[in-house]
Amino acid sequence: MGFATALRCRECGREYPKEPINICEWCFGPLEVVYDHDRMASVVTRERIESGPPTMWRYRDLLPVGDGPVIDLHCGLTPLIKADNLGRELGLQNLYLKNDCVNPTYSFKDRVVTVAATVAKELGFDTLACASTGNLAGAVAAHAAKAGMQAYVFMPADLERVKIVGAAVYGPTVIAVDGSYDEVNRLCSEVADSFGWAFVNINIRPYYAEGSKTLGYEVAEQLGWRAPDHAVVPVASGSLYVKIWKGLNEFRDLGLIDQVQTKMHMAQPLGCSPVVTAYAAGVMDVRPVKPNTIAKSLAIGNPADGYYALKVIKESEGSATAVSDEEVIEGIKLLAETEGIFAETAAGVVVSALRRLAHSGAIGPKELTVAYVTGNGLKTQEVVEEDARPLLVKPTLDSFKEALDRRG
Amino acid sequence: MKRRVKFSFPTHLVQEPIIFQLGKDYNVVTNIRRAEVTDVQGWVVMELEGNDDDIDRGLDWVRDRGVRVDPVGGDVVES
Ligand SMILES: Cc1ncc(COP(=O)(O)O)c(C=O)c1O
Ligand SMILES: [Zn+2]
Protein backbone atom coordinates (compact mmCIF):
# COMPACT_ATOMS: atom_id res chain seq x y z
CA MET A 1 0.00 0.00 0.00
CA GLY A 2 2.98 2.34 -0.20
CA PHE A 3 4.63 3.89 2.82
CA ALA A 4 2.88 7.25 3.07
CA THR A 5 0.78 7.23 6.22
CA ALA A 6 -0.59 10.73 6.77
CA LEU A 7 -0.20 14.45 6.19
CA ARG A 8 1.44 16.61 8.83
CA CYS A 9 1.49 20.37 9.38
CA ARG A 10 4.99 21.82 8.98
CA GLU A 11 4.24 24.44 11.60
CA CYS A 12 2.20 22.90 14.44
CA GLY A 13 2.75 19.19 13.74
CA ARG A 14 -0.93 18.23 13.68
CA GLU A 15 -1.64 15.16 11.58
CA TYR A 16 -4.37 14.60 9.02
CA PRO A 17 -5.46 11.57 7.03
CA LYS A 18 -4.29 11.34 3.40
CA GLU A 19 -6.95 13.57 1.91
CA PRO A 20 -6.98 16.29 -0.74
CA ILE A 21 -6.00 19.15 1.57
CA ASN A 22 -2.90 21.32 1.68
CA ILE A 23 -3.35 23.70 4.61
CA CYS A 24 -3.60 22.95 8.32
CA GLU A 25 -7.11 23.79 9.51
CA TRP A 26 -5.66 24.80 12.83
CA CYS A 27 -2.80 27.16 12.06
CA PHE A 28 -2.95 27.50 8.23
CA GLY A 29 0.56 26.06 7.93
CA PRO A 30 1.39 23.92 4.87
CA LEU A 31 0.91 20.15 5.07
CA GLU A 32 3.54 17.62 4.14
CA VAL A 33 3.39 13.86 3.52
CA VAL A 34 4.55 11.61 6.37
CA TYR A 35 5.99 8.14 5.69
CA ASP A 36 6.60 5.05 7.76
CA HIS A 37 10.38 5.33 7.46
CA ASP A 38 11.14 2.10 9.31
CA ARG A 39 9.02 0.02 7.00
CA MET A 40 10.37 1.90 4.04
CA ALA A 41 13.95 1.27 5.14
CA SER A 42 13.29 -2.44 5.52
CA VAL A 43 12.37 -2.68 1.84
CA VAL A 44 14.33 -0.07 -0.10
CA THR A 45 17.81 -1.00 -1.36
CA ARG A 46 20.05 0.17 -4.19
CA GLU A 47 19.40 -3.12 -5.98
CA ARG A 48 15.64 -2.76 -5.72
CA ILE A 49 15.82 0.74 -7.18
CA GLU A 50 18.24 -0.30 -9.94
CA SER A 51 15.96 -3.11 -11.03
CA GLY A 52 12.98 -0.72 -11.28
CA PRO A 53 11.71 0.97 -14.45
CA PRO A 54 13.94 3.46 -16.31
CA THR A 55 11.79 6.34 -15.14
CA MET A 56 11.34 8.27 -11.90
CA TRP A 57 8.90 5.54 -10.86
CA ARG A 58 11.90 3.43 -9.86
CA TYR A 59 11.60 5.45 -6.61
CA ARG A 60 7.91 4.72 -6.09
CA ASP A 61 8.56 3.33 -2.59
CA LEU A 62 9.60 6.85 -1.59
CA LEU A 63 6.60 8.57 -3.19
CA PRO A 64 3.11 9.04 -1.71
CA VAL A 65 1.29 6.52 -3.93
CA GLY A 66 -0.32 3.13 -3.42
CA ASP A 67 0.38 -0.10 -5.29
CA GLY A 68 -1.87 0.45 -8.30
CA PRO A 69 -0.93 1.65 -11.78
CA VAL A 70 0.69 5.06 -12.08
CA ILE A 71 -0.13 7.77 -14.62
CA ASP A 72 3.16 7.84 -16.43
CA LEU A 73 4.32 9.35 -19.70
CA HIS A 74 7.82 7.96 -19.09
CA CYS A 75 8.98 10.83 -16.95
CA GLY A 76 12.37 11.15 -15.32
CA LEU A 77 15.69 9.34 -15.29
CA THR A 78 16.78 12.15 -17.55
CA PRO A 79 20.44 12.48 -18.57
CA LEU A 80 23.08 13.65 -16.13
CA ILE A 81 25.71 15.08 -18.44
CA LYS A 82 29.36 15.74 -17.68
CA ALA A 83 29.67 19.31 -18.95
CA ASP A 84 33.36 19.61 -19.80
CA ASN A 85 32.96 22.44 -22.30
CA LEU A 86 30.90 24.64 -20.03
CA GLY A 87 33.13 23.60 -17.14
CA ARG A 88 36.23 24.79 -19.02
CA GLU A 89 34.53 28.10 -19.70
CA LEU A 90 33.76 28.56 -15.99
CA GLY A 91 36.87 26.99 -14.50
CA LEU A 92 35.05 23.95 -13.11
CA GLN A 93 36.51 20.50 -13.73
CA ASN A 94 33.75 18.44 -12.24
CA LEU A 95 30.55 19.97 -13.55
CA TYR A 96 27.37 18.05 -14.40
CA LEU A 97 24.08 19.16 -15.89
CA LYS A 98 20.82 17.46 -15.00
CA ASN A 99 18.88 17.82 -18.22
CA ASP A 100 15.16 17.86 -17.54
CA CYS A 101 14.39 19.48 -20.90
CA VAL A 102 13.78 16.00 -22.25
CA ASN A 103 10.83 15.09 -20.06
CA PRO A 104 7.53 14.20 -21.80
CA THR A 105 6.26 17.79 -21.84
CA TYR A 106 9.75 19.30 -21.80
CA SER A 107 10.08 20.50 -18.21
CA PHE A 108 10.58 19.12 -14.72
CA LYS A 109 6.90 19.78 -13.99
CA ASP A 110 6.12 16.32 -15.36
CA ARG A 111 7.69 14.93 -12.19
CA VAL A 112 5.26 16.67 -9.86
CA VAL A 113 2.28 16.12 -12.11
CA THR A 114 2.81 12.39 -12.65
CA VAL A 115 2.62 12.02 -8.86
CA ALA A 116 -0.33 14.42 -8.54
CA ALA A 117 -2.30 12.66 -11.30
CA THR A 118 -1.66 9.24 -9.79
CA VAL A 119 -2.74 10.36 -6.32
CA ALA A 120 -5.76 12.19 -7.74
CA LYS A 121 -6.91 8.96 -9.41
CA GLU A 122 -6.35 7.02 -6.22
CA LEU A 123 -8.43 9.56 -4.30
CA GLY A 124 -11.27 9.09 -6.79
CA PHE A 125 -11.07 12.36 -8.75
CA ASP A 126 -12.04 12.49 -12.41
CA THR A 127 -10.80 16.04 -13.07
CA LEU A 128 -7.31 17.51 -12.93
CA ALA A 129 -6.83 21.29 -12.78
CA CYS A 130 -4.11 23.91 -12.41
CA ALA A 131 -3.34 27.59 -12.78
CA SER A 132 -0.33 28.09 -14.98
CA THR A 133 1.53 30.34 -17.37
CA GLY A 134 3.00 27.46 -19.33
CA ASN A 135 4.98 24.48 -18.10
CA LEU A 136 2.52 23.21 -15.55
CA ALA A 137 -0.43 23.61 -17.91
CA GLY A 138 1.18 21.35 -20.51
CA ALA A 139 2.14 18.75 -17.93
CA VAL A 140 -1.35 18.66 -16.39
CA ALA A 141 -3.15 18.52 -19.72
CA ALA A 142 -0.90 15.72 -21.04
CA HIS A 143 -1.18 13.57 -17.91
CA ALA A 144 -4.95 14.06 -17.79
CA ALA A 145 -5.12 12.90 -21.41
CA LYS A 146 -3.12 9.78 -20.59
CA ALA A 147 -5.23 9.11 -17.49
CA GLY A 148 -8.54 9.61 -19.27
CA MET A 149 -9.34 12.47 -16.91
CA GLN A 150 -10.91 15.84 -17.61
CA ALA A 151 -8.53 18.79 -17.42
CA TYR A 152 -9.11 22.46 -16.66
CA VAL A 153 -6.25 24.85 -17.13
CA PHE A 154 -6.47 28.46 -15.95
CA MET A 155 -4.22 31.00 -17.62
CA PRO A 156 -3.87 34.78 -17.56
CA ALA A 157 -5.68 36.15 -20.64
CA ASP A 158 -2.60 38.02 -21.90
CA LEU A 159 -0.46 34.89 -22.24
CA GLU A 160 1.48 34.31 -25.48
CA ARG A 161 -0.32 32.13 -28.02
CA VAL A 162 2.46 29.55 -28.19
CA LYS A 163 2.18 28.85 -24.47
CA ILE A 164 -1.55 28.24 -24.80
CA VAL A 165 -0.97 25.86 -27.71
CA GLY A 166 1.50 23.84 -25.63
CA ALA A 167 -1.35 22.91 -23.30
CA ALA A 168 -4.40 23.15 -25.57
CA VAL A 169 -3.15 20.47 -27.93
CA TYR A 170 -3.80 17.79 -25.28
CA GLY A 171 -7.48 18.70 -25.20
CA PRO A 172 -8.10 20.35 -21.82
CA THR A 173 -10.59 23.13 -21.24
CA VAL A 174 -8.42 26.25 -21.25
CA ILE A 175 -9.77 29.18 -19.28
CA ALA A 176 -8.21 32.57 -20.06
CA VAL A 177 -8.83 34.77 -17.05
CA ASP A 178 -9.10 38.47 -17.83
CA GLY A 179 -7.79 39.94 -14.60
CA SER A 180 -4.71 40.91 -12.67
CA TYR A 181 -2.32 38.26 -11.48
CA ASP A 182 -3.68 38.56 -7.96
CA GLU A 183 -7.23 38.15 -9.21
CA VAL A 184 -6.31 34.99 -11.12
CA ASN A 185 -4.74 33.66 -7.92
CA ARG A 186 -7.85 34.45 -5.91
CA LEU A 187 -10.22 32.92 -8.48
CA CYS A 188 -8.24 29.68 -8.62
CA SER A 189 -8.21 29.32 -4.84
CA GLU A 190 -11.97 29.82 -4.84
CA VAL A 191 -12.49 27.30 -7.63
CA ALA A 192 -10.33 24.78 -5.76
CA ASP A 193 -12.48 25.30 -2.67
CA SER A 194 -15.84 24.98 -4.37
CA PHE A 195 -15.42 22.45 -7.23
CA GLY A 196 -14.61 18.83 -6.53
CA TRP A 197 -11.50 18.86 -8.66
CA ALA A 198 -7.95 17.78 -8.05
CA PHE A 199 -6.19 21.14 -8.29
CA VAL A 200 -2.64 19.81 -8.52
CA ASN A 201 -0.85 22.71 -6.85
CA ILE A 202 -3.61 23.56 -4.38
CA ASN A 203 -5.51 20.71 -2.72
CA ILE A 204 -3.11 18.05 -4.07
CA ARG A 205 0.01 20.13 -3.38
CA PRO A 206 1.49 18.02 -0.54
CA TYR A 207 1.62 14.96 -2.84
CA TYR A 208 2.47 16.93 -5.97
CA ALA A 209 5.50 18.59 -4.37
CA GLU A 210 6.98 15.20 -3.42
CA GLY A 211 7.60 14.49 -7.11
CA SER A 212 10.48 16.98 -7.08
CA LYS A 213 12.41 14.79 -4.63
CA THR A 214 13.23 12.55 -7.57
CA LEU A 215 15.58 15.25 -8.89
CA GLY A 216 17.64 14.64 -5.76
CA TYR A 217 17.39 10.84 -5.96
CA GLU A 218 18.31 10.59 -9.62
CA VAL A 219 21.36 12.77 -9.36
CA ALA A 220 22.65 10.76 -6.39
CA GLU A 221 22.08 7.45 -8.17
CA GLN A 222 23.58 8.70 -11.44
CA LEU A 223 26.69 9.95 -9.65
CA GLY A 224 27.23 6.37 -8.45
CA TRP A 225 25.31 6.66 -5.19
CA ARG A 226 26.71 9.84 -3.77
CA ALA A 227 25.52 13.40 -3.20
CA PRO A 228 27.21 16.26 -5.08
CA ASP A 229 29.30 18.90 -3.30
CA HIS A 230 27.16 21.66 -4.80
CA ALA A 231 23.73 21.90 -6.39
CA VAL A 232 22.53 24.99 -8.26
CA VAL A 233 18.75 25.13 -8.45
CA PRO A 234 16.23 27.63 -9.90
CA VAL A 235 13.65 28.94 -7.44
CA ALA A 236 10.11 30.16 -8.06
CA SER A 237 7.85 28.88 -5.23
CA GLY A 238 10.93 27.27 -3.66
CA SER A 239 9.41 23.81 -3.66
CA LEU A 240 11.84 22.20 -6.11
CA TYR A 241 14.83 23.51 -4.18
CA VAL A 242 13.51 22.31 -0.82
CA LYS A 243 12.57 18.89 -2.18
CA ILE A 244 15.92 18.19 -3.82
CA TRP A 245 17.50 18.70 -0.41
CA LYS A 246 14.86 16.50 1.20
CA GLY A 247 15.45 13.78 -1.40
CA LEU A 248 19.20 13.70 -0.77
CA ASN A 249 18.66 13.52 2.99
CA GLU A 250 16.13 10.71 2.67
CA PHE A 251 18.66 8.74 0.64
CA ARG A 252 21.18 9.16 3.44
CA ASP A 253 18.63 8.20 6.11
CA LEU A 254 17.83 5.05 4.14
CA GLY A 255 21.53 4.20 3.95
CA LEU A 256 21.57 4.50 0.15
CA ILE A 257 24.31 7.14 0.24
CA ASP A 258 26.88 7.81 2.97
CA GLN A 259 26.53 11.48 3.64
CA VAL A 260 25.04 14.70 2.37
CA GLN A 261 27.36 17.68 2.43
CA THR A 262 25.77 19.31 -0.54
CA LYS A 263 25.75 23.08 -0.53
CA MET A 264 22.41 24.13 -1.95
CA HIS A 265 22.69 27.27 -4.09
CA MET A 266 19.48 28.86 -5.21
CA ALA A 267 19.10 31.11 -8.24
CA GLN A 268 16.41 33.69 -9.00
CA PRO A 269 16.02 36.39 -11.64
CA LEU A 270 16.69 39.86 -10.22
CA GLY A 271 13.23 41.00 -11.32
CA CYS A 272 11.62 38.39 -9.07
CA SER A 273 13.97 37.52 -6.25
CA PRO A 274 12.06 37.75 -2.97
CA VAL A 275 13.92 34.80 -1.43
CA VAL A 276 17.37 36.06 -2.43
CA THR A 277 16.45 39.48 -1.02
CA ALA A 278 15.43 37.99 2.34
CA TYR A 279 18.63 35.93 2.46
CA ALA A 280 20.78 38.97 1.67
CA ALA A 281 19.03 40.95 4.42
CA GLY A 282 19.52 38.13 6.89
CA VAL A 283 15.81 37.78 7.66
CA MET A 284 13.51 34.74 7.52
CA ASP A 285 10.51 36.74 6.40
CA VAL A 286 10.01 36.67 2.63
CA ARG A 287 8.37 39.83 1.34
CA PRO A 288 6.22 39.30 -1.75
CA VAL A 289 7.19 41.29 -4.86
CA LYS A 290 5.63 42.18 -8.21
CA PRO A 291 7.58 40.15 -10.78
CA ASN A 292 9.28 41.95 -13.64
CA THR A 293 11.58 39.62 -15.53
CA ILE A 294 11.91 37.73 -18.80
CA ALA A 295 12.32 34.54 -16.76
CA LYS A 296 8.57 33.96 -16.65
CA SER A 297 8.87 30.43 -15.34
CA LEU A 298 10.42 31.80 -12.13
CA ALA A 299 8.06 34.76 -11.77
CA ILE A 300 6.31 33.88 -8.52
CA GLY A 301 6.13 37.01 -6.39
CA ASN A 302 4.74 35.35 -3.26
CA PRO A 303 6.59 32.02 -2.98
CA ALA A 304 4.74 29.40 -0.92
CA ASP A 305 7.95 27.72 0.21
CA GLY A 306 10.17 30.77 0.52
CA TYR A 307 10.59 30.41 4.25
CA TYR A 308 11.50 26.71 4.01
CA ALA A 309 13.91 27.50 1.19
CA LEU A 310 15.68 29.99 3.47
CA LYS A 311 15.99 27.27 6.08
CA VAL A 312 17.61 24.95 3.52
CA ILE A 313 20.18 27.61 2.61
CA LYS A 314 21.18 27.75 6.27
CA GLU A 315 21.12 24.03 6.91
CA SER A 316 23.18 23.22 3.83
CA GLU A 317 25.48 26.24 4.08
CA GLY A 318 24.36 27.17 0.62
CA SER A 319 23.77 30.57 -0.95
CA ALA A 320 21.31 32.65 -2.95
CA THR A 321 22.08 34.54 -6.17
CA ALA A 322 19.97 36.86 -8.29
CA VAL A 323 20.93 37.55 -11.90
CA SER A 324 19.83 40.23 -14.35
CA ASP A 325 17.75 39.59 -17.46
CA GLU A 326 20.85 40.18 -19.62
CA GLU A 327 22.62 37.46 -17.70
CA VAL A 328 19.64 35.15 -18.23
CA ILE A 329 20.08 35.48 -21.98
CA GLU A 330 23.85 35.09 -21.73
CA GLY A 331 23.32 31.97 -19.67
CA ILE A 332 20.97 30.42 -22.22
CA LYS A 333 23.43 31.12 -25.02
CA LEU A 334 26.45 29.93 -23.10
CA LEU A 335 24.73 26.63 -22.34
CA ALA A 336 23.62 26.16 -25.94
CA GLU A 337 26.98 27.12 -27.45
CA THR A 338 29.11 25.00 -25.11
CA GLU A 339 26.96 21.95 -24.43
CA GLY A 340 24.41 21.88 -27.26
CA ILE A 341 21.49 22.17 -24.86
CA PHE A 342 18.78 24.71 -25.66
CA ALA A 343 17.09 25.40 -22.35
CA GLU A 344 14.57 27.96 -21.21
CA THR A 345 15.05 31.06 -19.09
CA ALA A 346 15.14 29.19 -15.75
CA ALA A 347 18.33 27.49 -16.96
CA GLY A 348 19.70 30.84 -18.09
CA VAL A 349 19.28 31.97 -14.50
CA VAL A 350 21.03 28.86 -13.20
CA VAL A 351 23.98 29.00 -15.61
CA SER A 352 24.61 32.68 -14.88
CA ALA A 353 24.37 32.08 -11.14
CA LEU A 354 26.77 29.16 -11.55
CA ARG A 355 29.20 31.44 -13.38
CA ARG A 356 29.10 33.89 -10.50
CA LEU A 357 29.60 31.16 -7.91
CA ALA A 358 32.59 29.79 -9.83
CA HIS A 359 34.17 33.24 -10.22
CA SER A 360 33.69 34.17 -6.58
CA GLY A 361 35.26 30.92 -5.46
CA ALA A 362 32.10 29.78 -3.68
CA ILE A 363 32.43 26.66 -5.85
CA GLY A 364 35.98 25.32 -6.10
CA PRO A 365 37.43 24.14 -9.44
CA LYS A 366 37.51 20.46 -8.47
CA GLU A 367 34.28 20.22 -6.53
CA LEU A 368 31.50 18.00 -7.82
CA THR A 369 28.77 20.36 -8.95
CA VAL A 370 25.34 19.71 -10.44
CA ALA A 371 23.39 22.47 -12.18
CA TYR A 372 19.70 21.82 -12.77
CA VAL A 373 18.35 22.53 -16.23
CA THR A 374 14.61 22.36 -15.74
CA GLY A 375 12.86 23.37 -18.97
CA ASN A 376 13.23 23.30 -22.75
CA GLY A 377 14.33 26.39 -24.70
CA LEU A 378 11.74 25.93 -27.42
CA LYS A 379 9.23 27.20 -24.85
CA THR A 380 10.83 30.63 -24.49
CA GLN A 381 12.34 31.19 -27.93
CA GLU A 382 11.30 34.83 -27.92
CA VAL A 383 14.11 35.80 -25.54
CA VAL A 384 16.86 34.74 -27.95
CA GLU A 385 15.00 35.48 -31.18
CA GLU A 386 17.13 38.50 -32.01
CA ASP A 387 20.23 36.36 -32.32
CA ALA A 388 18.75 34.26 -35.08
CA ARG A 389 20.21 36.17 -38.04
CA PRO A 390 20.79 33.93 -41.04
CA LEU A 391 23.19 34.91 -43.81
CA LEU A 392 20.92 35.84 -46.70
CA VAL A 393 22.29 34.63 -50.06
CA LYS A 394 21.28 34.25 -53.69
CA PRO A 395 21.36 30.64 -54.90
CA THR A 396 24.82 31.10 -56.45
CA LEU A 397 28.28 30.19 -55.23
CA ASP A 398 29.43 33.79 -55.68
CA SER A 399 26.70 35.13 -53.46
CA PHE A 400 27.43 32.46 -50.89
CA LYS A 401 31.18 33.24 -50.85
CA GLU A 402 30.45 36.94 -50.60
CA ALA A 403 28.20 36.32 -47.61
CA LEU A 404 30.90 34.28 -45.91
CA ASP A 405 33.40 37.11 -46.47
CA ARG A 406 30.96 39.63 -45.12
CA ARG A 407 30.53 37.57 -41.99
CA GLY A 408 34.33 37.80 -41.53
CA MET B 1 -16.72 35.20 2.75
CA LYS B 2 -13.56 34.03 4.45
CA ARG B 3 -10.09 35.19 3.60
CA ARG B 4 -6.72 34.07 4.95
CA VAL B 5 -4.14 36.80 5.29
CA LYS B 6 -0.84 37.62 6.90
CA PHE B 7 -0.28 41.02 8.51
CA SER B 8 3.31 42.21 8.95
CA PHE B 9 3.76 45.04 11.43
CA PRO B 10 6.66 47.50 11.45
CA THR B 11 8.14 48.49 14.83
CA HIS B 12 6.00 51.56 15.45
CA LEU B 13 2.77 49.63 14.94
CA VAL B 14 3.53 46.50 16.95
CA GLN B 15 1.71 47.87 19.96
CA GLU B 16 -1.30 49.34 18.17
CA PRO B 17 -4.72 47.62 18.47
CA ILE B 18 -5.12 47.41 14.71
CA ILE B 19 -6.73 43.98 14.56
CA PHE B 20 -9.21 45.01 17.23
CA GLN B 21 -10.21 48.11 15.27
CA LEU B 22 -10.48 46.19 12.01
CA GLY B 23 -13.04 43.95 13.69
CA LYS B 24 -14.91 46.78 15.33
CA ASP B 25 -15.02 49.41 12.58
CA TYR B 26 -15.36 47.19 9.52
CA ASN B 27 -17.59 44.43 10.77
CA VAL B 28 -14.95 41.81 10.06
CA VAL B 29 -14.53 38.79 12.34
CA THR B 30 -10.81 38.18 12.93
CA ASN B 31 -9.60 34.74 13.89
CA ILE B 32 -5.88 34.58 14.71
CA ARG B 33 -4.14 31.27 13.96
CA ARG B 34 -0.44 31.92 14.21
CA ALA B 35 1.68 34.88 15.22
CA GLU B 36 5.14 36.01 16.14
CA VAL B 37 5.67 39.34 17.80
CA THR B 38 8.94 40.80 19.04
CA ASP B 39 9.88 44.30 20.22
CA VAL B 40 10.84 45.35 16.74
CA GLN B 41 8.35 43.64 14.46
CA GLY B 42 5.59 41.13 14.23
CA TRP B 43 3.39 39.10 11.95
CA VAL B 44 -0.01 37.54 12.39
CA VAL B 45 -1.66 34.87 10.26
CA MET B 46 -5.43 34.94 10.50
CA GLU B 47 -8.76 34.29 8.88
CA LEU B 48 -11.12 37.15 8.19
CA GLU B 49 -14.83 36.59 7.89
CA GLY B 50 -17.34 39.13 6.69
CA ASN B 51 -18.78 40.37 3.44
CA ASP B 52 -16.29 40.92 0.64
CA ASP B 53 -16.66 44.70 0.51
CA ASP B 54 -16.18 45.08 4.24
CA ILE B 55 -13.06 42.93 4.11
CA ASP B 56 -11.66 44.93 1.18
CA ARG B 57 -12.36 48.27 2.86
CA GLY B 58 -10.96 47.01 6.13
CA LEU B 59 -7.77 45.77 4.49
CA ASP B 60 -7.34 49.10 2.68
CA TRP B 61 -7.51 50.84 6.04
CA VAL B 62 -5.00 48.39 7.54
CA ARG B 63 -2.60 49.01 4.65
CA ASP B 64 -3.02 52.77 5.02
CA ARG B 65 -1.92 52.45 8.61
CA GLY B 66 1.37 50.97 7.34
CA VAL B 67 0.80 47.27 7.85
CA ARG B 68 1.74 44.94 5.00
CA VAL B 69 -1.05 42.56 4.02
CA ASP B 70 -0.26 39.39 2.07
CA PRO B 71 -2.34 36.37 1.11
CA VAL B 72 -1.45 33.21 3.05
CA GLY B 73 -0.21 30.16 1.19
CA GLY B 74 1.65 31.82 -1.66
CA ASP B 75 0.78 32.27 -5.33
CA VAL B 76 -1.03 29.43 -7.03
CA VAL B 77 -0.39 30.56 -10.60
CA GLU B 78 2.84 28.75 -11.48
CA SER B 79 4.77 28.58 -14.67
C1 LIG C 1 11.30 25.47 -15.75
C2 LIG C 1 11.10 25.70 -14.30
N1 LIG C 1 12.16 25.59 -13.48
C3 LIG C 1 12.05 25.80 -12.15
C4 LIG C 1 10.86 26.15 -11.54
C5 LIG C 1 10.83 26.39 -10.06
O1 LIG C 1 10.01 25.56 -9.36
P1 LIG C 1 9.50 25.88 -7.89
O2 LIG C 1 8.20 26.61 -8.03
O3 LIG C 1 9.30 24.51 -7.32
O4 LIG C 1 10.52 26.69 -7.17
C6 LIG C 1 9.73 26.24 -12.35
C7 LIG C 1 8.43 26.57 -11.74
O5 LIG C 1 7.48 26.96 -12.28
C8 LIG C 1 9.85 26.03 -13.76
O6 LIG C 1 8.79 26.12 -14.58
ZN1 LIG D 1 -0.78 23.52 11.83
Side-chain angles (χ1 to χ4, degrees), chain A residues 8-14 16 23-31, chain B residues 33-34:
Chain A
R8 183 187 293 143
C9 174
R10 295 198 67 162
E11 290 304 319
C12 75
R14 267 188 182 66
Y16 295 82
I23 303 247
C24 173
E25 281 303 315
W26 187 258
C27 77
F28 299 163
L31 302 181
Chain B
R33 299 308 182 89
R34 206 157 15 107

Side-chain angles (χ1 to χ4, degrees), chain A residues 32 82 131 210 212 236 278:
Chain A
E32 189 173 41
K82 182 90 195 299
E210 290 286 283
S212 289

Side-chain angles (χ1 to χ4, degrees), chain A residues 108-109 135 234-240 297-298 344 346 374-375, chain B residues 79:
Chain A
F108 93 96
K109 294 281 178 185
N135 290 333
V235 162
S237 75
S239 177
L240 168 65
S297 58
L298 301 181
E344 65 135 85
T374 50
Chain B
S79 165

Side-chain angles (χ1 to χ4, degrees), chain A residues 181-377:
Chain A
Y181 189 82
D182 289 342
E183 288 166 333
V184 182
N185 264 310
R186 175 99 67 86
L187 172 67
C188 292
S189 297
E190 286 169 6
V191 170
D193 280 345
S194 46
F195 285 65
W197 295 345
F199 229 106
V200 295
N201 57 339
I202 304 181
N203 54 352
I204 307 295
R205 188 172 177 87
Y207 312 93
Y208 164 88
E210 290 286 283
S212 289
K213 294 191 303 187
T214 58
L215 269 173
Y217 303 153
E218 281 178 25
V219 160
E221 182 182 350
Q222 289 170 318
L223 287 173
W225 300 102
R226 62 155 296 180
D229 299 323
H230 299 272
V232 188
V233 181
V235 162
S237 75
S239 177
L240 168 65
Y241 175 82
V242 169
K243 295 291 182 176
I244 288 173
W245 176 245
K246 182 181 181 190
L248 292 172
N249 282 282
E250 281 180 343
F251 257 28
R252 185 211 40 226
D253 294 344
L254 290 165
L256 298 171
I257 58 178
D258 288 339
Q259 56 181 4
V260 180
Q261 288 179 337
T262 310
K263 291 191 165 62
M264 296 289 298
H265 305 282
M266 73 161 65
Q268 292 198 295
L270 201 54
C272 184
S273 48
V275 189
V276 177
T277 303
Y279 172 75
V283 298
M284 293 301 281
D285 185 32
V286 177
R287 293 194 158 214
V289 299
K290 282 247 171 308
N292 178 17
T293 170
I294 59 166
K296 296 276 190 286
S297 58
L298 301 181
I300 289 190
N302 184 9
D305 290 297
Y307 169 73
Y308 304 103
L310 287 168
K311 292 223 297 206
V312 170
I313 301 182
K314 273 198 179 157
E315 254 177 79
S316 72
E317 295 172 29
S319 71
T321 304
V323 305
S324 68
D325 280 359
E326 293 76 59
E327 288 176 278
V328 174
I329 294 170
E330 285 167 20
I332 292 174
K333 288 199 228 160
L334 184 60
L335 180 60
E337 289 170 9
T338 55
E339 294 297 332
I341 296 174
F342 182 20
E344 65 135 85
T345 45
V349 172
V350 163
V351 169
S352 281
L354 175 67
R355 181 168 62 183
R356 288 206 195 176
L357 292 163
H359 285 176
S360 75
I363 297 181
K366 293 203 162 56
E367 293 182 301
L368 178 46
T369 301
V370 174
Y372 284 87
V373 175
T374 50
N376 196 301

